[in-house]
Amino acid sequence: MSGALINLSYLAASALFVFCLKGLSHPRTAVRGNLLGALGMLLAVAVTLLDRQIVSFEVIFAGILFGSAVGAAFAVKVPMTAMPQMVALFNGFGGGASVLVAGASFLETIAAGSPPPARFLVAVSLTALIGAVTFFGSLVAFGKLQGLITENAVVFRGQQAVNAAIGLVCVVLGGWLVTTPWEPASYLALAGVASVLGVLLVIPIGGADMPVVIALLNSYSGLAGAATGFVLDNNVLIIAGSLVGASGIILTRIMCIAMNRSLGNVLFGIGGTVGTGPVPGEEIYEGKVKSASPEEVAMLFDTARRASIVPGYGMAVSQAQHAVRDLANLLESRGVEVEFAIHPVAGRMPGHMNVLLAEANIPYDKLKEMDEANSGFAQTDIALVIGANDVVNPMARTDPDGPIAGMPILDVDKARTVVVVKRSLSPGFAGIPNPLFAAGNTLMLFGDGKKMILELITALKEF
Amino acid sequence: MSGALINLSYLAASALFVFCLKGLSHPRTAVRGNLLGALGMLLAVAVTLLDRQIVSFEVIFAGILFGSAVGAAFAVKVPMTAMPQMVALFNGFGGGASVLVAGASFLETIAAGSPPPARFLVAVSLTALIGAVTFFGSLVAFGKLQGLITENAVVFRGQQAVNAAIGLVCVVLGGWLVTTPWEPASYLALAGVASVLGVLLVIPIGGADMPVVIALLNSYSGLAGAATGFVLDNNVLIIAGSLVGASGIILTRIMCIAMNRSLGNVLFGIGGTVGTGPVPGEEIYEGKVKSASPEEVAMLFDTARRASIVPGYGMAVSQAQHAVRDLANLLESRGVEVEFAIHPVAGRMPGHMNVLLAEANIPYDKLKEMDEANSGFAQTDIALVIGANDVVNPMARTDPDGPIAGMPILDVDKARTVVVVKRSLSPGFAGIPNPLFAAGNTLMLFGDGKKMILELITALKEF
Amino acid sequence: MEGLIASLTIFVLAIFVGFEVITKVPPTLHTPLMSGSNAISGITLVGALLSAGHQHTLLTTILGFVAVVFATVNVVGGFLVTHRMLGMFQRKEDR
Amino acid sequence: MEGLIASLTIFVLAIFVGFEVITKVPPTLHTPLMSGSNAISGITLVGALLSAGHQHTLLTTILGFVAVVFATVNVVGGFLVTHRMLGMFQRKEDR
Ligand SMILES: NC(=O)c1ccc[n+]([C@@H]2O[C@H](COP(=O)([O-])OP(=O)(O)OC[C@H]3O[C@@H](n4cnc5c(N)ncnc54)[C@H](OP(=O)(O)O)[C@@H]3O)[C@@H](O)[C@H]2O)c1
Ligand SMILES: NC(=O)c1ccc[n+]([C@@H]2O[C@H](COP(=O)([O-])OP(=O)(O)OC[C@H]3O[C@@H](n4cnc5c(N)ncnc54)[C@H](OP(=O)(O)O)[C@@H]3O)[C@@H](O)[C@H]2O)c1
């Protein structure tokens, strides 16, 4: 009966996870949703612990304490701008956990001597494969985003072939594991090779594509969890795993669509070649770039009636969100109508800009999504682009075979005047020059995002 | 293994059912969705048949052939206007089937001698209860809508008490069945009493509230199916049953909200007293009602620029939808802008009017939902009300304690002129007089809906 | 017991799916939804078959037979009638 | 085998629920969604516990321990960070 009780609690936990995700459908209910999710997790864990009065109880407990400490430390310390790599890291841990779990239960079962059922072995090898790929893939992604290893794509000839080969090896090893279950080595081998695969799959992908990779790995770790569930015949694992798997896949699709690139292309196509240093844009910029001082820009704002602020990855890098908030408030106090135009893939992960601006207390009804924003630029006096580049690059419309060809962009060039805040003319993640900077109605405000905004504010205050 | 194959097919069938309902989220995909659903059913049935090479195969086959014949006959014959009772009837059959199923498997198990597990018995009694209530409840609903028994609410003092008592008896009998499983009588008793309950629960409800009842019974039959699934430990039954249960409950809520009445109120409150014959409206109508001839109305239309047609239950009764279509086309050919204003509970089931107008080939972008329609009436020259009454009754706004108090209505009285087509001044389902008929800008066109529309058309053609 | 829990889990998940999917159905299609979901409820036919299958006694055979008939009426009738209704909306699409 | 089918059914249904629910999440909340769903994926912790539980050998105990640590980091970190992010949106609500 206790068994039934436990399973009921697992069921309740699963339901809580669903409510968690349902809650995320609106900012108002999101916090509660997240708490429900945490509650579900707590329930599942607590029940499992109660379920097993066991020697290694202390071990487990130590593990949980230690893990919580580390996790909490990370979570509280990380700056909002470092979210992408944080998610990547956590995600990796998830994957790692499932490899170890599968490994442990595999070793146990064979230690117990009884020949494990084929289904168990299949699920074990799946878990090992997915889990290891997730773990190392995520670590590489983390390294790239954190700048521990080169942001650039590491590409070498025949890469695909090599990966394919390794993948094949994994399959073979999996077969070995299933057919000769008494051989622990098989598991180690599989996990090992899968780890290599995980690394090789991610290094060829440019840093800016990491969010896609992370989302994908996230869905993998979900599937790994589900696979574990099949191994242990545990429903909450299966359900939670599938939920995560679904969300990861959906987010991946959203990003790919917003960048107008196929997933394949991200994983081993152009995705590999972008970010490999700037393409010289001389012929485009040649003497056409007009640079301005904060004072001149301030003057422009003095006469403006409607301004729209277009944040990009650069705002995240320079942590300019609070400065931007102050600027917006100042402008509004001067009777300028201010709104924010958010491109779906501005920044480095979906909703990246929304989070930063939310951090700076900007009410989210001020944040316009792409289509709404684009319909407004024609009536906008000043479009202030802060550290955005690709998402405002007209080449997406004009150059049919560039890396961002066909990617829907924010048509800031329709505004009467465009002010672009960035440190140089160097390209964004797509590694291509941006004709916008040379456009007749564009003024460049060169410098660090935050610094420039602050100077702009002081300049404005001086009138 | 074959067992697994069968279960896989059941899983596939379940998935098909989900896709069926997903398909219904848009007219374009709806037909395909419905076919997928049928396919799923076919799969489930075929597999089940293959599963059991059994003596009574012929019996089953005969049953299926016979059933299909009957079902098909009904489905092809029934006029669109009789949808509500059709659904009720089918629904009843569904419920009946599950009672019989549960009964059969109960008898078998006890015949087999082995003491059945408690869970089985609980599920059996649940199925018996829900199934029987659904069966007889639906039949009564059918009878009322088809006019076989009085549309009116059959109410007697202490009704609730009686029902409660009977409900209690059912519970007791259920307990008996669970505790003394070797006693077939227990099942018969339970099913019998539940049947009585089914009848008593529905007769006190007025004919016009039947759609709510049907939706509710529909969800019951779904739950009965799910319960059967628990009995037979069969997933496709559980899944399909829950899907149906959910849909029924949601539809019920929608209707109640649209009528601004609580479910309880529908099931045993005012729901019982409405429709019990017209409330005399003399003082309201007294000499204020202006009746017009088709010719006069035709003249009005000749000068109109914008007309909106408000269909109601009367259009269904008089089968006027095709005539209405012709009228609309004629008016448009004369340059009158025509649109249809659809109240969510116009007619006798949700979407009733939409189906009828669709039958008459009226493109569905012409059908405006309540809010949109209401915002338009002020600019409407003529609101042509065809067999609608309660849904255009201003009392909903004015009289705070009438049966339809607070029910959102179509504000036709905001139109420059209102023309109401109905046979008399007799009230609609809510059984209350309608001040609209006595309003200054209202003309009554007394007569059968279809006849009047046709005369109106001829009159229009005569100029 | 295990089995019951599994069934329960499936039940809960199915309810979730049902609510999510059905809340997306527009008012226009509520009547077809009603008859369609009703047809699906005819899945009890499978139950009918399963239990009519064993046929220990004449009684259960008869019960089974009638159950099959009832359920089939519900299924076939339901899907056909829904198809008829939807066909009308369809024609609209084309014009 | 039965068990596997049940698991499979649950898997399929959960996928349906996932897709339905998650497609409703607005872009604004995509980052929290990412970290939140990530935290949920830490459910492998339960798996970790279940298998660390039996502890036949020292090796499995160690594996189990590390697994528990990893999974806990994922869970606690994930939910906390999500909470932080959402807190910001929340403040917006109030003003
Ligand atoms: N959001 C997502 O989910 C996602 C996922 C995958 C890929 N991506 C890709 O990421 C890109 C995002 O576009 P984006 O326009 O937001 O960013 P971007 O195209 O990467 O451009 C960022 C710009 O910010 C400038 N910058 C960097 N640090 C700065 C600082 N401290 N102060 C001021 N400016 C600074 C850089 O120019 P300087 O060096 O001259 O300052 C750079 O040109 C898109 O190409 C998108 O496809 C996004
Ligand atoms: N749609 C749903 O889902 C649903 C569910 C439950 C309850 N209801 C209730 O049903 C009512 C629907 O409102 P409604 O305005 O559509 O209908 P109604 O209020 O019932 O009125 C229908 C009117 O049509 C007239 N009529 C009947 N046969 C006619 C014919 N052959 N030719 C011309 N007119 C004819 C009747 O007046 P004469 O007898 O004088 O002709 C009657 O007044 C609402 O009260 C609603 O709450 C609807």
Side-chain angles (χ1 to χ4, degrees), chain B residues 314-389:
Chain B
M315 182 181 83
V317 178
S318 65
Q319 304 259 28
Q321 59 269 30
H322 296 92
V324 168
R325 188 257 334 274
D326 299 338
L327 175 63
N329 292 344
L330 178 59
L331 288 174
E332 288 191 319
S333 69
R334 304 261 179 113
V336 184
E337 177 191 341
V338 180
E339 72 175 28
F340 292 80
I342 311 293
H343 189 285
V345 292
R348 286 294 182 267
M349 67 193 298
H352 196 171
M353 294 298 121
N354 306 72
V355 173
L356 293 179
L357 296 174
E359 182 193 9
N361 271 319
I362 291 162
Y364 56 75
D365 47 22
K366 274 211 175 6
L367 312 186
K368 305 301 177 198
E369 286 181 24
M370 180 158 53
D371 301 341
E372 190 180 353
N374 278 338
S375 63
F377 281 121
Q379 300 82 267
T380 303
D381 299 314
I382 303 184
L384 179 61
V385 178
I386 299 172
N389 188 340

Side-chain angles (χ1 to χ4, degrees), chain A residues 38 62-63 115 117 149 175 184 191 201 223-224 239 333 337 340 384 404 413 417 425 431:
Chain A
I149 60 181
L201 280 177
L223 297 180
I239 295 174
S333 69
E337 175 191 344
F340 293 81
L384 179 61
I404 63 169
D413 48 351
T417 315
L425 283 176

